DNA sequence: TCCCGAAAGTGTTTTAACGACACTAAGGTA
DNA sequence: TACCTTAGTGTCGTTAAAACACTTTCGGGA
């Protein structure tokens, strides 16, 4: 960890040596959600050492784009989606993490509505959705990347209203509660959850109800950004 | 932001082109604390475009080290200190952020005890401590880096006991309260703060008191890691 | 040695959030 | 029309947080 502490001679970033070989990539943890649980979009690696193993979609960063652009490009290539919630998480940099050479990668996660994805399915798409809890290993250090992104997602879900990014525009209270339960891995009390959510004043009643269910249909709600912007204040959002 | 979304042809990270020129650096936000407030260690840039302006210590990442090693190396070079609390924060990657070429930088912050630093002062040291609140601009995008690191520090200070890293081994309750006040930028109630801190059970009474003060001397405390490890549970630590 | 200044140290009361908990309402189906 | 299934709703006890003032202890100076 803090083993090699030589007092190096002066080095300056403005001396960018031409023999300096090091590549930078982005890797994308693309989360989706359906009734079964939290999903992540994975591809099969074609790197020899990890042939056929599941891995995260990613790519080298082009010289003319920043990291966010690169991550958006990868996301669009794999899902056809743009304007998606996305956040940078962490850089992974172990010297031997990639068999083909020195590659530092920056992890992003994003939240997509899984049905919208299906509709705009990319023709060359090899990617598929996998249940997050069922994933035991991935190629490279991608399992660690996934774990970090999931932890970050859980943190954010507690502190601001991003769960909506994973749901259709109109959703029931049961859906949003179930989403919180599966993403955070906790069981929540229906009445307390609803009380809390209503007190935050970020939901708008659509005036519609579920259709074609053989029981009392639930009201549909929509997330209202204006309400949130006004109400947002310091502190936690949903601290379970 | 999400402007250029071309559907690129397949690109793979294992095809690492030799013409691929892009450098990676680390930049270190080294925080210190004394009675006056929160400080950060800065140097004067010698990059032509920013000649003489204040900037964060940093360096290119060597081919044989990971990012944390690189950040530790920079830290030791500037302060002489090893085994310091350090956390990766965010990568900064705007294409034009560095005048000498394409450099992606990963920001780390670390917490050092400012007096310990002074004692082991590096002979060639050009770095100096500056009050964080007095810094209005820095070279490159370093002000944004500083702001991000400060925000991260504030978050961590609320969720786990890292304030101790900025203080001497033995400290008074007033010192730790003042640290929380200046880092978080809030005013805290003495009795409530002490009650909360004691309830967390992470402090150990040294059995000593302040010396040579012309008023009632305060007890000295020490942070006890074992107590913390046992007691640590989910949720916030100090939610002010 | 007595008085003063200055910071240390200590509890109680009020208020807000959280957790636990069970019944009635509404629609679909047989 | 009876029944199945999920929707929807309120109260009470517990716990955490915020507000708030006086006594103690030491050093220094008269």
């Amino acid at each position: 960890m803090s083993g090699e502490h030589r007092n190096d001679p002066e080095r300056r970033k403005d001396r960018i040596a031409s023999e300096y070989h090091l590549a930078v990539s982005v890797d994308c943890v693309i989360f989706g959600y359906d009734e079964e649980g939290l999903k992540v979009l994975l591809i099969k690696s074609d790197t020899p050492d990890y042939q056929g193993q599941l891995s995260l979609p990613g790519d080298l960063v082009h010289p003319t784009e920043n990291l966010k652009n690169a991550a958006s490009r990868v996301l669009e290539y794999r899902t056809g989606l743009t304007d998606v919630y996305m956040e940078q998480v962490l850089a992974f940099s172990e010297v031997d993490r990639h068999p083909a050479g020195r590659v530092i990668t920056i992890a992003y996660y994003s939240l997509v509505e899984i049905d919208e994805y299906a509709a705009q399915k990319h023709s060359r798409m090899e990617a598929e959705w996998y249940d997050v809890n069922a994933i035991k290993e991935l190629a490279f250090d991608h399992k660690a990347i996934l774990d970090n992104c999931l932890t970050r997602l859980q943190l954010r879900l507690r502190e601001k209203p991003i769960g909506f990014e994973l749901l259709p525009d109109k959703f029931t209270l049961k859906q949003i509660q179930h989403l919180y339960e599966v993403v955070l891995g906790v069981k929540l009390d229906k009445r307390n959850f609803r009380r809390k959510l209503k007190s935050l004043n970020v939901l708008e009643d659509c005036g519609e109800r579920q259709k074609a269910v053989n029981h009392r249909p639930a009201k549909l709600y929509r997330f209202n950004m204006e309400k949130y912007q006004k109400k947002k204040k310091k502190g936690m959002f949903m601290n379970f």
Side-chain angles (χ1 to χ4, degrees), chain A:
Chain A
M1 192 71 60
S2 55
E4 41 170 36
H5 289 299
R6 297 156 287 135
N7 255 10
D8 283 88
E10 300 271 325
R11 276 193 158 244
R12 295 281 178 260
K13 275 172 294 186
D14 43 58
R15 166 154 64 85
I16 299 171
S18 57
E19 79 281 3
Y20 185 84
H21 280 147
L22 186 152
V24 178
S25 68
V26 291
D27 282 307
C28 294
V29 175
I30 302 167
F31 287 116
Y33 164 84
D34 66 19
E35 312 73 42
E36 296 165 36
L38 185 67
K39 306 295 179 67
V40 61
L41 196 64
L42 299 176
I43 59 174
K44 290 206 163 59
S45 173
D46 54 4
T47 298
D49 296 48
Y50 294 105
Q51 195 74 47
Q53 284 190 49
L54 293 173
S55 74
L56 298 169
D59 193 11
L60 289 177
V61 175
H62 295 178
T64 57
E65 67 185 359
N66 63 27
L67 291 167
K68 186 158 199 166
N69 294 150
S72 298
R73 178 169 54 76
V74 168
L75 183 83
E76 183 178 8
Y77 177 67
R78 294 294 172 182
T79 67
L81 301 175
T82 58
D83 298 316
V84 162
Y85 181 89
M86 181 177 280
E87 182 186 349
Q88 190 195 124
V89 176
L90 209 61
F92 291 78
S93 64
E94 291 306 309
V95 173
D96 60 355
R97 61 172 293 281
H98 199 294
R102 184 74 202 276
V103 184
I104 291 174
T105 198
I106 289 88
Y108 279 78
Y109 78 90
S110 40
L111 305 180
V112 309
E113 196 218 306
I114 212 162
D115 295 325
E116 194 180 348
Y117 158 80
Q120 305 196 16
K121 198 166 183 177
H122 191 288
S123 57
R124 271 175 301 175
M125 175 58 55
E126 316 142 2
E128 280 178 22
W129 294 106
Y130 294 83
D131 192 293
V132 166
N133 295 311
I135 296 165
K136 300 304 174 207
E137 63 169 8
L138 294 172
F140 313 99
D141 51 2
H142 287 188
K143 181 59 162 63
I145 295 177
L146 173 60
D147 292 345
N148 271 272
C149 288
L150 178 56
T151 301
R152 180 70 64 94
L153 169 60
Q154 291 168 335
L155 181 73
R156 289 286 178 265
L157 197 58
R158 286 170 207 265
E159 80 183 15
K160 53 181 184 171
I162 57 167
F164 312 97
E165 305 284 347
L166 288 164
L167 291 174
D169 284 3
K170 298 172 185 177
F171 50 85
T172 66
L173 295 177
K174 173 153 206 174
Q175 281 178 293
I176 183 81
Q177 180 180 340
H178 184 244
L179 185 151
Y180 269 84
E181 289 178 336
V182 301
V183 176
L184 298 180
V186 296
K187 187 86 189 77
L188 299 172
D189 177 86
K190 181 164 65 163
R191 283 179 285 192
N192 294 338
F193 181 82
R194 288 172 183 222
R195 168 160 39 86
K196 187 70 194 291
L197 204 50
K198 287 189 174 160
S199 79
L200 291 169
N201 215 259
V202 292
L203 291 189
E204 180 180 58
D205 188 335
C206 300
E208 295 174 60
R209 288 174 169 275
Q210 281 183 306
K211 300 243 188 298
V213 288
N214 66 339
H215 55 76
R216 177 177 178 177
K219 284 185 178 178
L220 293 173
Y221 292 87
R222 183 186 292 122
F223 172 58
N224 186 321
M225 185 56 85
E226 294 84 52
K227 284 186 177 182
Y228 174 61
Q229 297 295 359
K230 279 177 218 152
K231 288 281 175 179
K232 82 170 157 184
K233 49 181 97 125
K234 65 176 182 220
M236 279 295 114
F237 181 71
M238 312 225 87
N239 14 290
F240 303 124

